[in-house]
Amino acid sequence: MKSKRFQALAARPVNQDGFVGEWAEVGLIAMNSPNDPKPSIKIENGKVVELDSKKRADFDMIDRFIADYAINLDKANEVMSMNSQELAKMLVDVNVPREKIVSLTTAMTPAKIVEVVGYMNVVEMMMALQKMRARKTPSNQCHVTNVKDHPVQIAADSAEAALRGFDEHETTVGIVRYAPFNALSLLVGSQVGRGGVLTQCAIEEATELLLGMRGLTCYAETVSVYGTEPVFIDGDDTPWSKSFLASAYASRGLKMRFTSGTGSEVQMGYAEGKSMLYLEARCIYITKGAGVQGLQNGSISCIGVPGGVPSGIRAVLAENLITTMLDMEVASGNDQTFSHSDMRRTARLLMQMLPGTDFITSGYSAVPNYDNMFAGSNVDAEDYDDFNAIQRDLKVDGGLRPVSEDEVIAIRNKAARALQAVFAELGLPAITDEEVEAATYAHGSKDMPDRNVVEDLKAAEDMMKRAVTGLDIVKALSKHGFEDVAQNVLNMLKQRISGDYLHTSAIIDKDFNVISAVNNCNDYMGPGTGYQLSEARWNEIKNIPNAIRPEDIQ
């Protein structure tokens, strides 16, 4: 006989997930591997000669880069002599200001910082994250993709996503050669939704940089770094080559961040027996040493690896926290799907949503999951109402806002028509009225007519050969009567000249004011301090369309 209780449990979605016991030798351990190095530092004549129990003669290239560029040596000896548990208490203590903590945490070694957060449970990490994030105001990022790489759908979905509150939009491709169209469509659609939205197209690094230089994207983040030397070598990269690429973006006035995440080294087979969190700490230090303003982490596309081992989701929260401890922007993941369980998905989300991060998700799928070309997301377009309800239930700002159906239909239609005008002016394959109508009311690519892919790809290649730029898009929009959208795109191009949005944790509001860690520094020190919901923002969050209002009751 079989237990009917256990039969019922076996059928639950969570039991479709993959779980594995700890296996330190191959790196299948989230935190506190017996093979993690002991914290140490020795400095002679201003040079680090020992880092985390390793002599300089034995450094690999990551050790050398971190030792030479990533640690504040002025306070290193002081903080390395401090008790790690006491340092963890300082992170949680609301009476210890962020600036005092940062002066210490930026002087720690990777092994030391991992030891410190190892004393903390997830509630304590969330308390620390609320204080340590760089920008006071939390925000959110989304993915806008579809399996057809349909440009009209991308424009409409991006416009809706901007209306719903996402400050950054990211796209990628199913077919690589569609990248110019996807970038163009995202730029136009986002600026229809609201001026000031930052957009990017995740593609191979040379093309991604070129799209940015042409003014077709506004930032980049898919510049990956890794925690062991063999994984870097496998990708024909070094910390120095990544730093050079980062400087190329900065020199063109383009915001950028690196990407990393727990579990990547395990997936590549080069974890060297170290814990996922220790290796991710090395990635975070590489980012700091390269002078990059921020990092996307939170396991990202590797989330199934930490998600399968004990304390894995805790380690993901810890890597987000460490990034803020090194005084950088954190785009904290919650992107790729990792579980069949709605309960596990929500628990993973709340680790970042409750304390708030610079970008709580990176990103939230603004399309149904079948259209998400980043292998699905932890939250998607079908979760909008749930997400808004959680904001309302907990009085927490997750960066989104309730919207009406009429608003969405109108903004999607305008975005589709704006892109139709741009394609016509640039001599690209025509966008039909049928496509505009379909995109106006579509949920996903299943609702969209097919395009002539061969003609699109030829035109996208020709568009790049003709060196079409953001200014050409401005002219096309203006000529066809979309003056407001043209002005928004032009204002985004102007950001390259001022450079203000290169500051740590920068976003741009609807009036094109840059909000960053410089002018919106997180000053949380307990109840009533730090970011507080304004009355207007709280009214926006709580007034969901399906709430019964007293005046509606007879």
Side-chain angles (χ1 to χ4, degrees):
M1 291 287 289
K2 292 284 188 179
S3 164
K4 296 194 185 315
R5 173 71 48 79
F6 276 80
Q7 287 178 346
L9 289 171
R12 294 286 295 165
V14 70
N15 287 311
Q16 298 178 53
D17 292 354
F19 299 98
V20 64
E22 290 180 335
W23 187 2
E25 290 76 15
V26 300
L28 281 170
I29 183 168
M31 301 171 67
N32 306 119
S33 170
N35 303 314
D36 286 349
K38 301 298 181 187
S40 73
I41 197 166
K42 289 184 181 178
I43 304 167
E44 294 180 359
N45 300 318
K47 178 179 286 190
V48 176
V49 297
E50 179 183 307
L51 179 71
D52 291 337
S53 305
K54 188 185 288 186
K55 303 296 183 185
R56 191 173 183 93
D58 300 320
F59 283 1
D60 64 15
M61 66 180 179
I62 296 175
D63 295 318
R64 179 183 166 195
F65 189 84
I66 291 171
D68 290 351
Y69 303 113
I71 300 171
N72 173 15
L73 299 184
D74 292 339
K75 280 186 168 286
N77 285 321
E78 174 191 343
V79 75
M80 293 298 287
S81 66
M82 296 175 68
N83 181 278
S84 293
Q85 186 176 6
E86 292 304 312
L87 287 164
K89 290 178 180 179
M90 291 174 69
L91 281 164
V92 177
D93 189 345
V94 297
N95 297 302
V96 181
R98 182 183 186 274
E99 57 266 27
K100 180 176 180 179
I101 296 288
V102 165
S103 69
L104 299 174
T105 51
T106 52
M108 295 177 182
T109 68
K112 180 70 169 181
I113 210 165
V114 168
E115 184 176 83
V116 169
V117 299
Y119 280 102
M120 305 169 75
N121 62 39
V122 294
V123 176
E124 292 160 346
M125 288 182 192
M126 286 192 286
M127 290 174 65
L129 187 56
Q130 183 170 221
K131 178 169 75 175
M132 296 305 298
R133 76 166 179 270
R135 187 182 64 242
K136 182 190 298 188
T137 306
S139 183
N140 221 328
Q141 180 205 108
C142 70
H143 291 161
V144 182
T145 63
N146 63 76
V147 296
K148 294 180 178 180
D149 289 321
H150 202 300
V152 192
Q153 184 187 339
I154 287 174
D157 282 331
S158 183
E160 179 182 343
L163 182 71
R164 289 183 179 273
F166 293 104
D167 292 319
E168 284 189 354
H169 298 185
E170 177 184 19
T171 192
T172 190
V173 294
I175 301 173
V176 172
R177 290 163 60 198
Y178 253 121
F181 276 14
N182 288 21
L184 167 62
S185 304
L186 191 73
L187 177 64
V188 171
S190 65
Q191 299 309 308
V192 170
R194 81 155 177 88
V197 172
L198 298 171
T199 60
Q200 68 148 321
C201 183
I203 195 71
E204 66 80 23
E205 290 174 352
T207 304
E208 189 168 356
L209 178 60
L210 181 59
L211 291 172
M213 291 168 65
R214 295 272 177 88
L216 300 176
T217 59
C218 309
Y219 77 104
E221 77 178 0
T222 48
V223 179
S224 299
V225 290
Y226 306 99
T228 61
E229 187 174 276
V231 181
F232 255 118
I233 293 170
D234 211 44
D236 296 323
D237 264 317
T238 71
W240 289 269
S241 66
K242 294 294 188 182
S243 301
F244 181 82
L245 181 57
S247 68
Y249 277 101
S251 69
R252 268 66 179 181
L254 280 158
K255 176 182 177 176
M256 71 92 66
R257 65 178 73 95
F258 281 171
T259 289
S260 60
T262 46
S264 63
E265 298 82 11
V266 182
Q267 283 195 334
M268 295 291 286
Y270 295 118
E272 299 178 350
K274 307 297 194 300
S275 72
M276 298 179 201
L277 185 60
Y278 170 71
L279 295 181
E280 174 57 20
R282 281 160 58 93
C283 298
I284 301 168
Y285 275 79
I286 291 168
T287 306
K288 183 69 174 178
V292 175
Q293 64 86 32
L295 180 66
Q296 174 186 224
N297 71 4
S299 194
I300 312 303
S301 57
C302 307
I303 186 64
V305 180
V309 300
S311 197
I313 301 304
R314 172 174 170 249
V316 169
L317 175 58
E319 67 185 277
N320 296 151
L321 175 58
I322 290 172
T323 306
T324 66
M325 290 165 68
L326 293 189
D327 201 23
M328 294 187 293
E329 170 190 80
V330 63
S332 54
N334 281 302
D335 51 352
Q336 186 162 310
T337 186
F338 80 105
S339 177
H340 297 84
S341 164
D342 287 343
M343 187 177 289
R344 289 190 79 205
R345 288 197 303 121
T346 305
R348 189 258 183 276
L349 170 68
L350 291 178
M351 300 296 100
Q352 291 74 30
M353 185 177 179
L354 296 184
T357 67
D358 296 301
F359 297 95
I360 295 163
T361 70
S362 57
Y364 189 118
S365 179
V367 295
N369 249 331
Y370 73 77
D371 264 338
N372 190 292
M373 300 307 293
F374 291 96
S377 179
N378 192 50
V379 277
D380 63 50
E382 295 178 3
D383 296 316
Y384 277 143
D385 291 346
D386 301 75
F387 194 97
N388 286 331
I390 291 172
Q391 290 186 129
R392 185 178 188 265
D393 290 341
L394 305 180
K395 197 178 182 181
V396 64
D397 194 341
L400 302 194
R401 58 185 291 268
V403 295
S404 71
E405 184 176 359
D406 288 345
E407 286 180 293
V408 168
I409 289 171
I411 208 73
R412 291 179 69 92
N413 181 261
K414 182 178 178 179
R417 288 187 291 107
L419 190 68
Q420 184 183 43
V422 171
F423 267 49
E425 186 64 25
L426 296 180
L428 304 176
I431 291 172
T432 66
D433 290 342
E434 178 194 5
E435 289 175 288
V436 170
E437 179 79 1
T440 299
Y441 298 99
H443 178 45
S445 61
K446 294 176 183 178
D447 307 312
M448 295 296 298
D450 293 332
R451 286 181 62 82
N452 187 324
V453 174
V454 173
E455 291 303 312
D456 273 356
L457 296 179
K458 288 179 181 178
E461 186 175 347
D462 180 65
M463 173 183 154
M464 295 303 285
K465 287 179 180 178
R466 287 188 285 142
V468 169
T469 71
L471 280 176
D472 296 311
I473 299 168
V474 172
K475 293 175 184 177
L477 288 164
S478 179
K479 182 176 178 179
H480 288 265
F482 293 93
E483 289 289 348
D484 57 336
V485 188
Q487 187 63 57
N488 287 347
V489 175
L490 180 61
N491 287 345
M492 294 307 293
L493 294 175
K494 289 179 180 178
Q495 297 296 326
R496 318 295 180 82
I497 300 168
S498 69
D500 289 344
Y501 86 125
L502 301 185
H503 288 306
T504 301
S505 303
I507 53 176
I508 301 173
D509 71 14
K510 64 182 178 62
D511 298 314
F512 293 91
N513 299 307
V514 174
I515 303 168
S516 73
V518 173
N519 61 2
N520 190 236
C521 187
N522 187 8
D523 56 0
Y524 177 79
M525 288 189 67
T529 67
Y531 178 72
Q532 301 289 314
L533 282 170
S534 67
E535 183 178 358
R537 177 65 176 133
W538 175 227
N539 285 334
E540 186 175 58
I541 287 171
K542 68 184 180 182
N543 290 326
I544 57 177
N546 54 335
I548 298 172
R549 291 160 177 77
E551 58 268 27
D552 299 331
I553 300 172
Q554 295 298 322

